[in-house]
Amino acid sequence: MTVDVARISAMHPREATRLLKGVRAAALAGDRPPAVPRPEIAESWRRMLAGGVHPDRDARSRMLSDCETEERRTVSPLREVLPVLREGLLPALDGALHIMVVADVDGRLLWREGHSSILRKADRLGFTVGADWDEAVVGTNGVGTALVTRRPVQVFSAEHFVSSHHDWTCAGAPVRDPRDGRLLGVVDVSGPLATMHPATLAWVSSVARLAERELRIRHLESLERLRTVAAPLLAGLPGRALAVDLHGWTAAVTGLAPVDRIPLPKDFAPGRMWVPQLGDCVAEPLPGGWLLRIAQDAAATAATRVVLDLSRAGAWSATVYGASGSWSQELSPRHAELLYLLAESPRGCTAAELSAELFGDPTRTVTVRAELSRVRRNLAGVLAHRPYRFAQDVEVELIRPEDPARLLPHSTAPAVVRARLGRTRPGMVP
């Protein structure tokens, strides 16, 4: 007899728990079980035994601090689909006495919402924001096991390898990036064993697919924005060229047959690059992607000038000039601050120096690096790193407001505040 979801769901919770505990005990002892565990659970238990996870001791990794959690939230693509997850899951959670958690690819819980009484029970279990629910740390569970198998998984009662989790049931489904299939994390619905239902996994899986569909729609919208920038540039080129996003998806082409995607090398950078599907190419950065010109049709190109316009509050921009023409990128408040700091420090800054000038705290380097990574997606040929700076051969023009007091008025960055007051910036290379 094999354990199956329909059978244990139809049983009284105490009876189901008794059966599953018997199956688990036999597996731990190497005895003949009263029923055969489900294949995905048996495989997970084998991993736990091989990895030395204690079946009755709830081990824990270090909790993320509030700052670390917020930094992970900031860089997680799952942040973009939280409204979809909430709309698909939260309305039913109160009645079902469940909670929703969203974890990143490392198994760290980044968001948690749902019924208040279940949240309090989850607190006692350590199922809290910032906690590590990697399978190798806490045993078989809906978050960590879904990350390992990369498939939706439902875990009932004593199917959890660690005994302190036996009063819970959970259903987790992975969420992937539709652009490249990369695993982004897991959405999980968990609650007391008495509330388990065999349809929960299908429900959570459907919502995860809706989240992936939302990411796909956003991707298509970003390709359209890239196409708008690239089309005038391509129209003026005599040879073969195409515009692709950062994952190689094609936005526009000229002089060659369209293709959906061009695999880009991992070390892709501005300048001459060998692209397997195209051969020798010259790459120039565009907002959200690249302009690729077949090398035999183009002379070497590079950005030569950047105009950083901070003269109008809320309308900050960077305009890049190169051999193919020019394009402009609107800047977020944070990116305007970072580019201002780099424009003021031509010899460059470390992440710690930028963190100190941006936050007054040199330790917030993770946030700085994440934000600069986003900036460099659009300005890869313009910005260098180690240290962070504008490229040596790029002329930088900084346009300030006529009134210094109106420089980035939203900013509380120490360096910007000093500039508004007409003071110099200590500790930075002029």
Side-chain angles (χ1 to χ4, degrees):
M1 176 180 63
T2 301
V3 172
D4 64 81
V5 173
R7 179 175 179 229
I8 59 177
S9 297
M11 299 170 68
H12 188 281
R14 284 196 297 271
E15 184 183 355
T17 298
R18 191 181 306 114
L19 171 64
L20 294 173
K21 284 186 175 182
V23 172
R24 173 179 171 275
L28 293 176
D31 297 335
R32 181 183 180 87
V36 178
R38 293 185 291 144
E40 61 269 33
I41 300 300
E43 291 171 8
S44 177
W45 287 353
R46 283 193 287 270
R47 289 192 296 271
M48 300 307 94
L49 291 169
V53 175
H54 198 289
D56 298 309
R57 188 177 302 150
D58 197 350
R60 292 290 167 194
S61 293
R62 182 184 67 85
M63 288 281 292
L64 295 177
S65 67
D66 290 344
C67 182
E68 290 171 321
T69 299
E70 188 54 40
E71 287 173 346
R72 287 192 181 226
R73 285 175 168 177
T74 299
V75 301
S76 174
L78 294 177
R79 188 187 194 99
E80 301 177 18
V81 295
L82 276 178
V84 175
L85 299 176
R86 287 170 174 147
E87 183 179 351
L89 296 173
L90 290 184
L93 290 186
D94 277 355
L97 294 178
H98 275 60
I99 59 173
M100 176 192 81
V101 299
V102 180
D104 66 13
V105 73
D106 297 322
R108 291 287 186 172
L109 307 192
L110 299 185
W111 292 277
R112 190 189 71 156
E113 301 177 35
H115 195 281
S116 58
S117 66
I118 309 305
L119 290 173
R120 288 192 295 271
K121 290 182 179 181
D123 288 342
R124 294 192 289 271
L125 187 67
F127 200 49
T128 59
V129 169
D132 185 355
W133 277 71
D134 184 274
E135 187 190 63
V137 175
V138 297
T140 308
N141 71 92
V143 172
T145 303
L147 287 172
V148 171
T149 64
R150 284 163 164 68
R151 297 192 305 269
V153 63
Q154 194 163 13
V155 184
F156 297 102
S157 182
E159 289 183 325
H160 289 92
F161 187 77
V162 179
S163 59
S164 58
H165 306 169
H166 288 180
D167 291 336
W168 286 75
T169 179
C170 53
V175 180
R176 297 176 179 83
D177 190 329
R179 295 171 297 185
D180 56 11
R182 179 170 56 98
L183 187 63
L184 301 177
V186 167
V187 58
D188 171 271
V189 165
S190 295
L193 177 62
T195 63
M196 68 180 179
H197 192 283
T200 302
L201 184 61
W203 171 41
V204 176
S205 299
S206 296
V207 174
R209 300 295 79 74
L210 286 175
E212 292 177 347
R213 180 176 179 273
E214 175 66 17
L215 289 171
R216 176 61 176 161
I217 291 172
R218 288 171 179 259
H219 177 222
L220 294 175
E221 290 173 346
S222 70
L223 283 177
E224 185 58 35
R225 289 192 296 270
L226 176 57
R227 187 175 297 114
T228 300
V229 173
L233 300 177
L234 292 173
L237 295 177
R240 296 177 295 160
L242 67 164
V244 299
D245 73 2
L246 300 173
H247 297 268
W249 291 95
T250 304
V253 301
T254 184
L256 69 162
V259 292
D260 287 337
R261 189 182 184 192
I262 300 293
L264 300 179
K266 289 184 178 180
D267 58 347
F268 200 77
R272 282 188 176 266
M273 294 290 294
W274 177 262
V275 180
Q277 196 166 332
L278 299 174
D280 197 18
C281 293
V282 176
E284 295 181 64
L286 293 174
W290 299 94
L291 174 65
L292 303 181
R293 302 207 283 171
I294 308 302
Q296 64 194 35
D297 297 327
T301 62
T304 57
R305 183 167 173 258
V306 176
V307 176
L308 182 60
D309 189 348
L310 306 181
S311 61
R312 293 178 298 158
W316 310 291
S317 66
T319 302
V320 179
Y321 297 85
S324 300
S326 64
W327 52 265
S328 294
Q329 172 72 34
E330 292 184 2
L331 301 174
S332 69
R334 179 69 77 214
H335 293 173
E337 290 173 320
L338 284 167
L339 291 178
Y340 167 75
L341 295 178
L342 295 180
E344 287 288 273
S345 301
R347 293 186 187 177
C349 311
T350 65
E353 288 173 328
L354 287 171
S355 179
E357 294 294 349
L358 196 60
F359 302 113
D361 178 359
T363 67
R364 295 186 61 180
T365 56
V366 173
T367 300
V368 167
R369 290 191 180 101
E371 292 293 346
L372 280 169
S373 177
R374 290 192 179 94
V375 176
R376 295 184 74 242
R377 291 174 189 172
N378 295 338
L379 300 173
V382 173
L383 294 179
H385 64 297
R386 298 180 183 175
Y388 292 107
R389 65 195 185 281
F390 281 96
Q392 184 175 0
D393 297 330
V394 174
E395 175 191 352
V396 180
E397 179 183 353
L398 175 60
I399 302 177
R400 306 166 182 266
E402 292 184 6
D403 181 358
R406 299 180 62 187
L407 175 68
L408 301 174
H410 69 282
S411 178
T412 59
V416 177
V417 172
R418 288 195 300 271
R420 288 201 293 258
L421 297 174
R423 299 173 182 168
T424 58
R425 300 165 65 201
M428 301 291 281
V429 181

